[in-house]
Amino acid sequence: MRGSVIVVGCLVAGCAVPHRGVARRIDGVTVVTRRVDERALAAYARARRADARGERAAALAAYARVLELDPDSSEAWTRVGALRCEDDLEGALAAFARAEALQPGAAPLLRARAACALARGDAASALGDARRAVEAEPDSVEGTLIYARALEQRGDPGAAYRWLQALVVREPATRAGWAALAALAARQGDDALARRAAEGSARAG
């Protein structure tokens, strides 16, 4: 094909057919992204900031605004599901289902749904989603941590050890990885490994 390669991409979440999209040049390649209302993008930025600060009510309100303007944002639906998980399981599962319909198999959705399952003690469901998440994005620190927790809760701490040890070898500056390894070792009574991992966490911090 002559000319620029046309890549159908996503902006915020979800995809559109090319003739309805917006063409952008990225690294010399023409990328056709889903057309999104600029107000939705601004609301999404506000939502992410509130989400990162742990301001749950503000984040939910901002994501609701995003979805008023852009109901096809799978990322917004994913974060609504994650935030509702604590006290509105039915609402969380409905939001996750909407995200899944819009972008099946998206790693952020799989991680969020697995974390929600772990929080309510459903390690079996968590393990399936967590495994799919690390297959989709094997270098994700968050995904590895969630998968290790699911493995431990399903009764396989040895596999959890291996995943966490591989993580800190690959990402030695990740304090969260060292902390998770230290905590797992302490729960399993491996005091020597717990001390080494705590030292690794201190160095990474």
Side-chain angles (χ1 to χ4, degrees), residues 97-190:
R98 184 65 183 271
E100 179 77 28
L102 290 165
Q103 198 171 7
L109 164 64
L110 296 170
R111 290 193 293 267
R113 197 164 57 191
C116 182
L118 285 172
R120 67 178 190 268
D122 184 0
S125 295
L127 187 61
D129 275 338
R131 181 184 297 112
R132 290 174 62 202
V134 295
E135 289 171 352
E137 291 185 359
D139 292 334
S140 168
V141 172
E142 180 188 9
T144 300
L145 295 175
I146 292 170
Y147 189 39
R149 284 169 50 206
L151 286 166
E152 182 188 10
Q153 289 190 23
R154 283 293 286 170
D156 194 353
Y161 269 128
R162 291 191 291 275
W163 276 87
L164 291 175
Q165 288 173 328
L167 172 61
V168 297
V169 168
R170 184 178 78 243
E171 301 281 353
T174 175
R175 188 173 185 180
W178 286 109
L181 182 58
L184 175 60
R187 287 191 296 270
Q188 297 299 316
D190 189 337

Side-chain angles (χ1 to χ4, degrees), residues 56-81:
R56 181 175 178 275
L60 279 170
Y63 284 126
R65 177 59 175 160
V66 173
L67 293 169
E68 287 176 8
L69 297 164
D70 181 24
D72 292 337
S73 171
S74 67
E75 288 188 4
W77 282 114
T78 293
R79 292 310 306 156
V80 168

Side-chain angles (χ1 to χ4, degrees), residues 7-25:
V7 180
V8 177
C10 298
L11 181 61
V12 178
C15 296
V17 293
H19 71 275
R20 293 182 180 176
V22 178
R24 293 177 171 84
R25 295 286 293 180

Side-chain angles (χ1 to χ4, degrees), residues 42-57:
Y44 187 79
R46 291 194 299 273
R48 292 298 292 174
R49 287 194 295 269
D51 204 346
R53 292 192 297 263
E55 298 171 357
R56 181 175 178 275

